[in-house]
Amino acid sequence: MASTPTIPSHIKAWVYSEYGNIEETLKFESNIPTPQIKEDEVLIKVVAAALNPVDYKRALGFFKNTDSPLPTVPGYDVAGVVVRVGSEVKKFKVGDEVYGDINENPINNPKSVGSLAEYTAVEEKVLAHKPSNLSFAEAASLPLAIITAYQGLERVEFSAGKSVLVLGGAGGVGSLVIQLAKQVFGASKVAATASTGKLDLLRNLGADLAIDYTKGELEELEEKFDVVYDTVGQSEIDRASKAVKEGGKFVTVAARGSSSAIFVMRISDGTVLEKLEPYLESGKVKPILDPKSPFSFSQAVEAFAYLKTNRAIGKVVIHPIP
């Protein structure tokens, strides 16, 4: 195995040792063992990480029966630099700048040392080279959300000439669904919902129709769409179900979605990131970071509290680490 001599034996990380509200259970630790890599893994010096709802749901014990044993360092999204490579790794070498969602299956034995640590061990297959035009903070914001957005559109066989209504267009996943539908899949029309202050963002992302859900505009919508893509869950689903064309499809990435919707749980996959690299490098698809981002490593608890307000625009990112 190739390695560099400067990797410490112990590292700093945010850790919780019991299930509960992450703002209460998450503690800073300055001396946890550096993760060991397997043959198909690389060790990453973490530069930036993004937070996701799955992090605090995992911390609450939502899937404790399939979770890895406590204690847990949260964090799915990572961007950083490869400092050690396993013997079977082909795509990456020491010094490469990479990014990815480190857990192939989000709820089945996710890693006990996630991206809110100085170093994390990650399988080669879930990583890709960081697009050269993106900062580490921008890159960290993308993997989980962009893979979710892409796989949802793929699952309903979205294609050029079709129309889509995105519920929650200003959020981490929704902001990328709008862009992918338009730039990658060739949508004929993209509509999206958000609150009043976020409508301009929807238009800037490429939405042809920005819908203010706080003013009843969703209920008044007479137009119907080939696909309704829900990123928010029950609150808007009932109001949007009539917006699906006959023969159209309703897809949700929210666990408490409609029973009539197709539920998509992403599988982390570096090849999806590779496929989308030209769109990211050309600027056709852009990462959206919340104006409060990045939070510093010392502000992880505050960052989670902010994420849980559901007010974030795009993604909440932690940078630099540490």
Side-chain angles (χ1 to χ4, degrees), residues 84-306:
R84 185 176 283 161
V85 297
S87 57
E88 294 175 8
V89 172
K90 304 283 192 295
K91 277 197 307 191
F92 305 111
K93 63 184 186 304
V94 170
D96 283 356
E97 298 180 350
V98 297
Y99 74 131
D101 168 358
I102 69 173
N103 293 306
E104 183 179 21
N105 183 308
I107 65 171
N108 188 11
N109 200 33
K111 291 186 175 297
S112 58
V113 179
S115 56
L116 287 186
E118 289 182 274
Y119 293 83
T120 187
V122 188
E123 291 164 288
E124 175 183 37
K125 65 184 173 183
V126 301
L127 294 170
H129 289 97
K130 180 180 76 66
S132 56
N133 60 314
L134 298 185
S135 69
F136 283 103
E138 289 171 329
S141 77
L142 286 167
L144 185 150
I146 205 167
I147 292 169
T148 302
Y150 182 86
Q151 290 179 346
L153 289 167
E154 206 175 39
R155 175 76 181 274
V156 293
E157 299 171 324
F158 196 74
S159 57
K162 291 185 176 178
S163 59
V164 59
L165 168 61
V166 184
L167 305 181
V173 175
S175 60
L176 288 161
V177 175
I178 294 170
Q179 296 183 78
L180 295 184
K182 201 80 170 177
Q183 300 293 341
V184 179
F185 288 85
S188 60
K189 183 164 189 176
V190 177
T193 67
S195 56
T196 314
K198 300 174 183 176
L199 300 180
D200 282 343
L201 171 66
L202 302 186
R203 298 182 189 103
N204 292 338
L205 292 172
D208 304 291
L209 178 61
I211 299 165
D212 188 339
Y213 73 84
T214 69
K215 295 185 175 172
E217 291 180 5
L218 187 56
E219 291 87 342
E220 294 164 9
L221 191 65
E222 293 184 6
E223 197 171 342
K224 296 193 183 299
F225 297 84
D226 295 301
V227 170
V228 173
Y229 195 128
D230 165 50
T231 72
V232 290
Q234 199 61 50
S235 57
E236 285 185 39
I237 280 183
D238 299 333
R239 295 187 278 175
S241 55
K242 63 178 177 26
V244 186
K245 281 182 183 174
E246 193 170 337
K249 293 175 179 172
F250 202 130
V251 61
T252 184
V253 295
R256 290 190 295 278
S258 162
S259 57
S260 63
I262 299 163
F263 174 64
V264 172
M265 183 170 71
R266 85 193 167 284
I267 299 297
S268 182
D269 184 355
T271 62
V272 172
L273 299 177
E274 289 167 358
K275 195 181 299 183
L276 296 173
E277 185 176 13
Y279 299 94
L280 293 165
E281 291 209 320
S282 67
K284 287 183 175 176
V285 175
K286 297 180 174 69
I288 305 298
L289 272 62
D290 185 87
K292 289 183 185 289
S293 288
F295 287 80
S296 69
F297 194 53
S298 64
Q299 294 176 302
V301 173
E302 294 96 314
F304 271 118
Y306 179 61

